[in-house]
């Protein structure tokens, strides 16, 4: 009986050791796949940082040359900007930009007054890995992601599309403008120093 108990203890120890040995590389593999440096305390991965830089950098000309036309008088809009918008509307069957409703114009107004300045500020902060972007980034991300909910709902229920393929094409064109800001709000919100200790203070400092 004593030998049987000793064998049970040995086998139990082997199972625990094997479980721990299996779990550790698995956790490391998960962290590696997510590109998160847990040891350095940096929830903003290099992959996500690059995505945000591309997102913000391309959003600036899109806002200035296309989205702004929902509010600007046609007489002051340059011809090349009108051509860009016409190409987008014709190619992607976008009813919101073809004939912007009042509620959509209110979103564009906020985009020009609030989001556009953030594109420059956010690009600078993510490029230089500055922690002070944390609160402005959370506010921007939450605001922008929220505005995309009614926009995507309108696309899904609008009768203006020639077919379902056109509807889903436009839906997926707009979808990243919900996903990236929402992820930005989450990633910046989970840690008070999203770029680690080297990112400096999280107090807002533009210059």
């Amino acid at each position: 009986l004593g030998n049987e108990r000793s064998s049970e203890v040995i086998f139990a120890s082997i199972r625990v050791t094997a479980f721990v040995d299996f779990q550790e590389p698995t956790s490391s593999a998960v962290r590696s796949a997510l590109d998160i440096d847990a040891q350095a305390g940096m929830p903003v991965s290099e992959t996500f940082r690059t995505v945000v830089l591309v997102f913000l950098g391309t959003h600036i000309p899109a806002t200035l040359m296309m989205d702004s036309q929902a509010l600007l008088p046609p007489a002051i809009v340059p011809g090349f900007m009108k051509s860009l918008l016409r190409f987008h509307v014709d190619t992607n069957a976008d009813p919101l930009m073809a004939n912007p409703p009042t509620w959509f114009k209110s979103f564009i107004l906020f985009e020009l007054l609030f989001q556009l300045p953030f594109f420059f500020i956010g690009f600078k902060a993510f490029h230089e890995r500055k922690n002070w972007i944390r609160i402005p980034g959370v506010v921007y991300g939450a605001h922008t992601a929220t505005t995309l909910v009614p926009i995507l709902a309108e696309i899904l229920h609008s009768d203006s599309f020639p077919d379902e393929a056109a509807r889903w094409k436009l839906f997926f064109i707009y979808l990243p403008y919900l996903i990236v800001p929402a992820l930005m709000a989450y990633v910046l919100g989970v840690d008070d120093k999203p770029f680690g200790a080297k990112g400096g203070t999280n107090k807002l400092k533009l210059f």
Side-chain angles (χ1 to χ4, degrees):
L1 182 61
N3 290 335
E4 289 179 359
R5 288 180 178 175
S6 298
S7 299
E8 289 177 1
V9 171
I10 292 172
F11 282 123
S13 300
I14 293 173
R15 285 197 297 269
V16 170
T17 303
F19 177 77
V20 172
D21 289 342
F22 173 76
Q23 287 296 316
E24 181 56 31
T26 301
S27 300
S28 299
V30 171
R31 286 196 299 268
S32 178
L34 293 175
D35 196 15
I36 295 175
D37 190 347
Q39 195 172 30
M42 291 178 58
V44 178
S45 69
E46 279 302 299
T47 300
F48 185 66
R49 174 175 167 269
T50 301
V51 169
V52 171
L53 288 173
V54 172
F55 178 84
L56 296 176
T58 57
H59 215 320
I60 293 171
T63 296
L64 291 174
M65 294 192 293
M66 295 183 61
D67 295 353
S68 64
Q69 294 187 56
L71 297 178
L72 295 176
I76 68 171
V77 177
F80 78 94
M81 288 173 52
K82 292 180 180 179
S83 298
L84 285 174
L85 180 58
R86 191 179 307 113
F87 174 80
H88 165 71
V89 171
D90 293 343
T91 303
N92 301 309
D94 189 342
L96 294 173
M97 290 303 298
N99 187 23
T102 301
W103 64 266
F104 185 72
K105 289 181 179 180
S106 70
F107 288 177
I108 298 299
L109 178 62
F110 268 88
E111 182 179 347
L112 291 171
L113 296 179
F114 168 61
Q115 295 182 30
L116 182 60
F118 177 83
F119 298 153
F120 294 93
I121 296 170
F123 189 93
K124 171 183 171 65
F126 270 80
H127 178 68
E128 299 177 356
R129 299 178 176 85
K130 297 299 184 181
N131 288 325
W132 52 254
I133 197 59
R134 179 174 181 258
I135 297 303
V138 170
V139 173
Y140 162 79
H143 162 75
T144 304
T146 302
T147 63
L148 261 293
V149 173
I151 291 175
L152 293 175
E154 177 66 22
I155 292 173
L156 289 176
H157 296 281
S158 175
D159 297 326
S160 303
F161 294 97
D163 52 47
E164 288 302 303
R167 180 192 307 279
W168 287 106
K169 178 183 178 182
L170 187 66
F171 179 86
F172 285 110
I173 288 175
Y174 274 90
L175 186 60
Y177 296 95
L178 181 151
I179 294 176
V180 175
L183 286 176
M184 186 187 302
Y186 171 76
V187 171
L188 293 178
V190 296
D191 196 297
D192 62 348
K193 291 187 176 181
F195 289 103
K198 292 183 179 180
T201 179
N202 53 15
K203 292 182 179 180
L204 183 60
K205 183 179 179 182
L206 303 183
F207 304 102

